[in-house]
Amino acid sequence: MSTEKKKTTSEKLSSIIGKYKSVIIGVVAVIVIAIAAAAVIAGITDSSKLKALSAIDQIEADFVKEGEDLAVRQDAALEALNAYVGKNGVAGVRANFLAAEIAYQKKDFEAAKNFYSEAAKKSKKAYTGALNYVNAAVCAEETGNNEEAIKLYEEAVKDKEFLYRATALLNLGRVKESSGDFEGAVKSYQKLCDEYPSDVWVNFAKSRIIALKAANKVEE
């Protein structure tokens, strides 16, 4: 019976991983477009920055253009982006976003994690920073590195204005639970319940707290 219960819990946690990977990663394409718009709104007039953004726009346009083999387009885009991923500012953020998205599409999760992490570092004060940390955490999970995933989720939840902060708290609790840090998991689940009482995942978080306490994994 205990094995069956364990399996059920594992399946629930795995389903959360799958659900939120697709949701959070899917946001990136929209935000990449928003970054370009933000550059215009911010009144960027530096010719070198505008030139870099224009070049990245062209790389993206070539990448999404149908006709040539997808793998060829992916490799060509990543090679072209090498000239821009090291840049600072909006160009560097955008280049790393696009590179991460392509690497994730190729299932090169280690490379995607590094690109997302780099984009996060370049945009810590921007609304894209926390999103990048979450995406990097998702990629770290894909490579089986839960310890790194926890650190990345912890970076994401520092931003209290982050639109997907409740999701990040849930995933932080989930990964901590999977890693055996039951006290840490309960703290994250409880924070989700306290700060986002109307969130769709509050009931699940509460059920995990009850289950962990019932199993004597944490103190009452």
Side-chain angles (χ1 to χ4, degrees):
M1 177 67 84
S2 61
T3 304
E4 190 173 333
K5 283 183 180 176
K6 256 187 202 176
K7 184 178 177 184
T8 303
T9 300
S10 175
E11 285 172 351
K12 284 181 181 177
L13 294 174
S14 294
S15 71
I16 291 172
I17 296 173
K19 184 176 180 66
Y20 278 100
K21 275 177 186 169
S22 61
V23 170
I24 296 171
I25 293 295
V27 170
V28 172
V30 176
I31 291 186
V32 167
I33 295 168
I35 289 173
V40 177
I41 294 168
I44 292 177
T45 55
D46 186 305
S47 61
S48 63
K49 290 178 181 177
L50 290 172
K51 188 176 178 181
L53 284 170
S54 178
I56 297 165
D57 279 342
Q58 188 58 55
I59 293 169
E60 184 178 20
D62 291 340
F63 168 63
V64 300
K65 190 171 15 178
E66 293 183 3
E68 211 167 3
D69 181 74
L70 176 60
V72 172
R73 283 183 281 131
Q74 287 172 331
D75 291 341
L78 287 172
E79 185 175 353
L81 286 167
N82 279 336
Y84 303 99
V85 292
K87 290 186 176 295
N88 292 318
V90 68
V93 174
R94 177 136 193 252
N96 279 283
F97 255 137
L98 184 54
E101 187 173 81
I102 294 169
Y104 188 87
Q105 190 180 62
K106 286 167 63 73
K107 298 190 185 301
D108 185 351
F109 300 118
E110 184 65 27
K113 179 201 71 182
N114 292 336
F115 285 128
Y116 280 128
S117 295
E118 195 60 31
K121 291 171 189 173
K122 293 176 186 292
S123 61
K124 271 189 175 182
K125 294 181 180 179
Y127 68 98
T128 54
L131 174 71
N132 276 299
Y133 278 124
V134 168
N135 284 335
V138 169
C139 294
E141 284 192 75
E142 288 283 9
T143 64
N145 193 338
N146 280 359
E147 184 178 348
E148 187 171 15
I150 288 169
K151 290 177 182 177
L152 291 164
Y153 281 128
E154 285 176 338
E155 286 295 327
V157 301
K158 287 179 182 178
D159 183 357
K160 294 191 176 180
E161 301 301 316
F162 180 37
L163 183 61
Y164 293 92
R165 187 165 178 263
T167 300
L169 284 167
L170 175 73
N171 283 325
L172 177 59
R174 173 181 55 73
V175 182
K176 284 191 173 186
E177 183 178 346
S178 297
S179 302
D181 180 5
F182 304 118
E183 292 284 353
V186 167
K187 284 181 182 177
S188 187
Y189 290 143
Q190 191 61 56
K191 188 181 284 280
L192 166 60
C193 296
D194 293 342
E195 297 184 19
Y196 303 93
S198 300
D199 189 80
V200 66
W201 286 106
V202 163
N203 286 340
F204 182 87
K206 286 179 178 177
S207 73
R208 294 310 308 144
I209 294 171
I210 292 168
L212 288 170
K213 287 181 177 179
N216 295 317
K217 299 290 187 180
V218 293
E219 293 181 6
E220 289 287 345

